[in-house]
Amino acid sequence: LPGETVAAASTFFGEFEAEYVVGDPAKVFFFKAKDQYGNDQKVDAFTGVDPFVAQLVGPETLTSEVVHEEGNTYKVTFTPTIAGTYALGVTLDGALVSGATPSLVFKHTGLDVTKTLLVSVPASASAGTQAAVHVKLADRYGNPFFDNSKVQVAVRGTNKQREGVVLVASVAAQGAASFPAPAPGAPAGAARGGSEPGRAGRPLRRVHTRLFQ
């Protein structure tokens, strides 16, 4: 029979990914309980399971129930929603189970326009000049969204003749988009933001901002 379970001899198994994505589905990790000589621990009605404690510590701290699967295998499950770097730790009587990667990186999910904020939009702009609109891109959990390569902002307004004009620009790395002279055509996508009144004598009287991919 194996001896008492030793955390330092127990070990995680399976591949750790270079990056994970926050939110669903949950992330599952497995480890094996062993004695000091590396023997697989035996779990039965007489010995019972060992009282392992599991945490994922980073921008938020999560605790997982440690579930006995079969034999000497256990699993822990986490669903962080805040992007960042985490440390995975499973302990037994305060000692760490070995084999966990030093850090786990969780990145944002896809862009969610309902969580994206319109920071600033000009009240008016003149044709042929650059006007900057600033947006704060975010995923469904409010994490900053950095992949702006496929994100565009469209500004719709009316000129002095009340004719509709639409300006379209890609979002720059800092979440800003600059617009040239008006161009025809209307973009498709989910609406976000509001409107700002223009000042008298300027070509764009009202500005409506839309984000789309």
Side-chain angles (χ1 to χ4, degrees), residues 56-121:
L56 190 66
V57 180
E60 58 180 325
T61 297
L62 304 174
T63 300
S64 169
E65 177 185 5
V66 179
V67 179
H68 176 244
E69 290 283 275
E70 59 180 3
N72 67 327
T73 299
Y74 294 79
K75 76 173 182 179
V76 293
T77 304
F78 297 98
T79 311
T81 57
I82 302 177
T85 301
Y86 291 79
L88 170 62
V90 174
T91 60
L92 179 63
D93 298 327
L96 276 171
V97 169
S98 66
T101 186
S103 61
L104 300 175
V105 176
F106 286 82
K107 66 178 184 178
H108 56 69
T109 62
L111 176 68
D112 187 333
V113 294
T114 67
K115 297 293 185 180
T116 295
L117 301 178
L118 177 61
V119 178
S120 66
V121 60

